[in-house]
Amino acid sequence: MELVNTGAKDRYLENLLRGQPPAGSHGWLNQIRAAATERANALTVPTTRDEEWRFTDPSPLLKFSFQPARGAQRLAQADIQRFVIPEASSDRLVFIDGIYAAELSTHCGNEHGILVTSLAQGLSSHGEILQQHLARNADFDNDVFCALNTSFLRDGALVIINKNVAYPAPIHLLFIATKPETAVYPRSLVVAGPGSRCALIEEYISLAENVYFNNAVTEVVVGENARVQHTKLQQESRAAFHIANCAVALAREANYISDTVTLGARFSRHNLHVLQTAEGTHCVLDGLALISGRQLADTHTYMDHAKPGGNSRQLHKCIVDDAAHAVFSGKVLVREGAQLTDSAQSSRNLLLSDKAHVDTKPQLEIFADDVKCAHGATVGQLDAEEVFYLRSRGLDDQGARSLLTYAFAAEIIDKIPVASLARQLRHTVMEKTQLREST
Amino acid sequence: MNNKNILLEVRNLSAEVAGIEILKGINLVVKVGEVHALMGPNGSGKSTFAKVLAGHIDYTVTGGEVLYQGKNLLEMAPEERSRAGVFLAFQYPIEIPGVSNSAFLRLAYNTLQAARGREELDPLEFDDFIREKIKLVEMDPSFLDRSVNQGFSGGEKKRNEIVQMAVLEPKLAVLDETDSGLDIDALKVVANGVNHLIRPDNAIILVTHYQRLLNYIVPDYVHVIEGGQIVKTGGKELALELEKRGYDWVRAEFDAARAAA
């Protein structure tokens, strides 16, 4: 411990906090970073004694000493070609180990009322909007991982959709991991102006089965009467740690539709926090975790109906094979005065082996009297009647099980509005479910 | 009896579910080209018999044997029975959200084609093929794109079963209460579809509670099942008599005959 003592309570965090990028030229951002660093120093890595981490033990993270990525790995267009989504090829931001790769990124929409660029670029051209929204939604006061990310905040993805612009093509934010033993802090800010429409694909992939720590924060600000369709696809290395915080703020009559697909990482935690800041918002929070081996996938969602007349729909599915462990915690809070809230949540879980494990915890907290709220959770195996039905049509037992497992996943994948991505995911799920044939 | 024409031979079959004996010695011979109706009151064992023929795992055969094309049917897995030409139209067809009806039908069709050493169809070829088949039961093509049976009405599900029968071309089709839940128009459509699928080289067992269906699909034989046994066999006129007189007299006759024997 011969280096600077950061004053951290937690030795592990102290180590992670080293090697931060130097302060930049924007005073307000330096202040935010300093405040976040202070919070990271004051907080500790959670344990299963923390209610929010009851089912997910983060201690495996502590076995590794991660360092910030030093220097950018250079990749050629050919290296990333297989990750290019045809529908989204005109607007793509690529980050390699958290560092912006301008040469692999495209920005065709910048002349059509949108801005898709790096945060660093945006800081000089759109400082006012950034100052208004960046780090204002994702809470770094109480979440140590969000504080860590914010402490490292220098660059990231920036998407701004101007007022009343309905941008037709999806915008692809592609985060590629290449180096082992690195800690990466991807950061994204999306601001959809009033009356605008856009579709986002936030994707995390890896070029090798390395151990690394991806600690991402995404903030989405949906303006009055705007609509944002947000697909998050987590396909990290199966040895990696992925901890992500996504914070969404909805203005009056805003629409936010989220699909989160979790396939990768040894250990993943996805926190999705949606705050209704004005009346009459519409929100869909769907998710699928398809895991096997010894993977752990934890999805925590928090829908905060702070104002009246909001509706929210949520269908979260987990398919758990081998000795994998899935966690779902879905909190819906209806605050005092948030009358006419209409909320429905469903958690459905499929266990494919005796050792597979799922913890599901729907939570409904209602402090208003004129609301409609429903929630439910199921955990089970494939239905024997369904298997028999398919076998009576000639499919063998394994084929019937694969088809039913695929179908369980397809209900979520079919909601993804980008055709090629949905097709690719269907293919991935087919491979994953048919892999069982050889086992 | 010409053995070559015997498709199914059931000898003294008994079976139980959850430890309760339901079938208590069924005997039945079905030859190709025949339509058999199996009638009986609720709980008589007629649906159990249909499920045992298809190989449902919840039912345990406790005695007797079933020969299908001369082979021991009871030793075959459900999918082997299907591939060998046994088809069960379900009383309550299963919904499969997430799988389109056309993909499911193609998968089933190609699985059977492969098992029979015949050529499989690609999606385009299958589309032409299936669009012809669904005309048989006047099904709207939009049902092909929907998930299997999901949100289908009772009648639509039953039509979908007959579409599957048309696609899979079974040798022995067992229709388990295909008429239940159908209004009269739908019943006519479904019956008409089934009639088109009757050929000299296949056979059908209609399991039904009511005589109504038999106005449209005319059986060669009517069997009354009661208490897990076939207690009377007759021609198509027996169904009309049952409709008028109910089932009690059949049982009484059977018991009297047994007492006399």
Side-chain angles (χ1 to χ4, degrees):
Chain A
M1 298 296 119
E2 69 286 0
L3 294 169
V4 188
N5 189 338
T6 58
K9 263 169 73 178
D10 186 312
R11 277 290 242 349
Y12 189 75
L13 291 173
E14 182 179 15
N15 204 31
L16 277 179
L17 280 163
R18 291 202 178 106
Q20 282 194 40
S25 55
H26 299 274
W28 64 269
L29 184 56
N30 291 338
Q31 277 174 23
I32 286 173
R33 287 185 51 198
T37 307
E38 200 182 307
R39 289 308 299 154
N41 282 331
L43 295 165
T44 54
V45 173
T47 69
T48 50
R49 286 187 298 278
D50 294 274
E51 183 57 29
E52 290 302 306
W53 293 83
R54 227 174 94 199
F55 305 113
T56 302
D57 178 7
S59 67
L61 185 69
L62 309 181
K63 294 184 187 135
F64 298 92
S65 171
F66 297 108
Q67 305 297 322
R70 263 178 240 100
Q73 166 100 11
R74 290 190 66 86
L75 295 178
Q77 183 67 36
D79 298 324
I80 68 153
Q81 200 53 42
R82 65 194 159 111
F83 305 117
V84 167
I85 295 169
E87 294 93 328
S89 58
S90 54
D91 300 278
R92 178 179 63 244
L93 295 177
V94 179
F95 295 82
I96 302 168
D97 300 316
I99 296 160
Y100 179 55
E103 69 283 5
L104 300 174
S105 302
T106 54
H107 328 261
C108 299
N110 288 2
E111 285 136 39
H112 300 94
I114 71 167
L115 178 71
V116 176
T117 187
S118 70
L119 269 174
Q121 287 268 330
L123 274 169
S124 33
S125 61
H126 292 71
E128 205 173 310
I129 293 182
L130 265 70
Q131 194 170 349
Q132 197 184 337
H133 297 295
L134 187 63
R136 307 296 179 194
N137 304 284
D139 168 31
F140 61 78
D141 274 340
N142 301 300
D143 186 296
V144 67
F145 296 108
C146 190
L148 264 174
N149 177 290
T150 307
S151 166
F152 277 85
L153 205 175
R154 279 303 297 279
D155 205 354
L158 174 65
V159 175
I160 299 174
I161 315 292
N162 288 347
K163 189 175 174 178
N164 293 332
V165 171
Y167 195 65
I171 296 155
H172 191 188
L173 311 180
L174 180 60
F175 297 91
I176 305 174
T178 70
K179 288 183 183 158
E181 309 278 318
T182 52
V184 178
Y185 302 96
R187 185 86 190 196
S188 306
L189 173 66
V190 178
V191 182
S196 70
R197 291 171 77 107
C198 73
L200 294 171
I201 303 162
E202 178 187 353
E203 184 175 14
Y204 297 87
I205 53 118
S206 172
L207 294 185
E209 291 295 289
N210 291 327
V211 181
Y212 55 85
F213 175 31
N214 211 339
N215 177 7
V217 173
T218 302
E219 292 172 288
V220 183
V221 181
V222 190
E224 201 171 305
N225 210 25
R227 177 187 168 95
V228 173
Q229 229 161 350
H230 185 180
T231 304
K232 181 191 169 187
L233 183 52
Q234 190 267 90
Q235 303 196 80
E236 304 272 22
S237 141
R238 284 174 70 103
F241 293 83
H242 176 97
I243 297 180
N245 276 284
C246 178
V248 183
L250 305 179
R252 181 183 294 267
E253 297 289 338
N255 280 263
Y256 176 71
I257 295 112
S258 161
D259 289 287
T260 300
V261 179
T262 300
L263 303 172
R266 160 75 178 81
F267 176 108
S268 69
R269 165 76 171 231
H270 178 63
N271 292 327
L272 174 58
H273 181 180
V274 181
L275 173 65
Q276 179 189 348
T277 71
E279 292 186 22
T281 60
H282 304 271
C283 188
V284 178
L285 307 177
D286 290 331
L288 170 69
L290 173 58
I291 52 172
S292 59
R294 299 187 53 79
Q295 287 181 288
L296 181 147
D298 178 348
T299 303
H300 265 62
T301 64
Y302 177 15
M303 177 70 231
D304 187 347
H305 286 289
K307 298 284 175 189
N311 70 48
S312 57
R313 294 288 175 271
Q314 181 170 32
L315 174 60
H316 189 84
K317 288 187 165 187
C318 299
I319 303 175
V320 191
D321 201 354
D322 304 328
H325 179 190
V327 178
F328 172 70
S329 166
K331 182 170 168 178
V332 176
L333 173 63
V334 181
R335 291 187 193 257
E336 199 179 334
Q339 302 294 13
L340 302 176
T341 296
D342 179 353
S343 171
Q345 180 192 69
S346 170
S347 159
R348 295 186 57 204
N349 303 280
L350 182 58
L351 299 176
L352 298 179
S353 90
D354 294 344
K355 287 182 180 160
H357 183 83
V358 65
D359 291 294
T360 177
K361 187 182 166 196
Q363 304 164 74
L364 203 46
E365 291 176 25
I366 305 175
F367 300 97
D369 54 11
D370 187 12
V371 300
K372 200 164 99 186
C373 292
H375 67 147
T378 59
V379 178
Q381 295 162 347
L382 290 171
D383 185 277
E385 282 297 318
E386 293 177 8
V387 173
F388 174 66
Y389 187 60
L390 295 177
R391 291 181 74 186
S392 79
R393 299 302 182 251
L395 277 68
D396 63 21
D397 186 61
Q398 191 55 61
R401 288 174 189 278
S402 292
L403 182 66
L404 291 169
T405 307
Y406 164 77
F408 189 82
E411 193 184 357
I412 299 292
I413 288 168
D414 287 348
K415 293 167 183 257
I416 291 173
V418 183
S420 73
L421 188 60
R423 199 161 49 235
Q424 180 213 317
L425 283 171
R426 275 195 290 269
H427 190 75
T428 304
V429 172
M430 270 183 190
E431 277 186 343
K432 280 184 186 283
T433 49
Q434 281 167 4
L435 271 179
R436 289 175 56 73
E437 278 184 348
S438 58
T439 57
Chain B
M1 193 186 290
N2 184 348
N3 284 337
K4 249 177 69 181
N5 290 331
I6 295 179
L7 188 60
L8 182 77
E9 193 169 358
V10 181
R11 292 182 193 148
N12 204 24
L13 178 70
S14 53
E16 60 174 42
V17 60
I20 300 161
E21 193 173 37
I22 309 283
L23 301 184
K24 298 172 183 171
I26 298 269
N27 290 288
L28 180 67
V29 174
V30 177
K31 288 190 242 169
V32 293
E34 291 179 346
V35 175
H36 290 245
L38 199 55
M39 302 182 71
N42 285 328
S44 58
K46 54 190 193 302
S47 276
T48 295
F49 179 62
K51 284 176 176 158
V52 167
L53 289 183
H56 196 293
I57 44 169
D58 287 351
Y59 298 82
T60 310
V61 172
T62 51
E65 58 183 343
V66 178
L67 296 177
Y68 170 73
Q69 294 182 320
K71 288 183 217 132
N72 183 354
L73 185 74
L74 301 176
E75 277 183 350
M76 297 161 79
E79 61 270 29
E80 291 168 342
R81 299 181 196 202
S82 169
R83 292 169 192 177
V86 177
F87 176 85
L88 172 65
F90 279 53
Q91 185 179 1
Y92 303 108
I94 307 295
E95 299 188 4
I96 314 175
V99 176
S100 79
N101 209 17
S102 62
F104 166 64
L105 291 166
R106 191 169 74 88
L107 187 60
Y109 176 78
N110 281 341
T111 303
L112 260 67
Q113 287 293 96
R116 292 167 184 174
R118 289 194 235 143
E119 204 174 322
E120 299 179 27
L121 296 181
D122 69 29
L124 279 176
E125 293 166 333
F126 187 77
D127 194 58
D128 293 339
F129 171 78
I130 191 66
R131 275 169 194 274
E132 277 307 308
K133 295 289 182 191
I134 62 173
K135 287 180 186 164
L136 203 62
V137 289
E138 299 175 24
M139 181 187 269
D140 190 287
S142 67
F143 283 88
L144 294 173
D145 299 327
R146 289 168 57 176
S147 288
V148 178
N149 292 328
Q150 195 186 21
F152 288 26
S153 71
E156 287 158 356
K157 284 180 180 170
K158 298 298 176 76
R159 285 181 202 220
N160 209 23
E161 293 293 287
I162 303 308
V163 169
Q164 291 173 42
M165 178 180 164
V167 165
L168 302 180
E169 297 182 337
K171 283 261 184 274
L172 175 67
V174 182
L175 310 187
D176 188 6
E177 304 214 14
T178 296
D179 51 336
S180 69
L182 294 185
D183 63 33
I184 191 69
D185 293 326
L187 180 72
K188 281 185 195 169
V189 170
V190 165
N192 184 44
V194 173
N195 281 330
H196 275 94
L197 297 173
I198 297 175
R199 295 188 317 255
D201 66 339
N202 66 11
I204 292 175
I205 299 175
L206 301 167
V207 175
T208 181
H209 193 67
Y210 301 105
Q211 183 270 337
R212 193 175 72 144
L213 175 69
L214 307 181
N215 288 335
Y216 302 99
I217 307 172
V218 180
D220 300 299
Y221 299 96
V222 174
H223 309 277
V224 178
I225 185 167
E226 227 275 338
Q229 289 176 310
I230 290 180
V231 293
K232 190 174 182 65
T233 293
K236 62 185 180 198
E237 65 289 341
L238 176 56
L240 289 166
E241 200 174 352
L242 291 168
E243 184 77 356
K244 273 193 224 118
R245 298 175 61 192
Y247 287 107
D248 290 348
W249 65 276
V250 186
R251 181 82 220 180
E253 224 180 70
F254 180 74
D255 288 343
R258 203 157 54 172

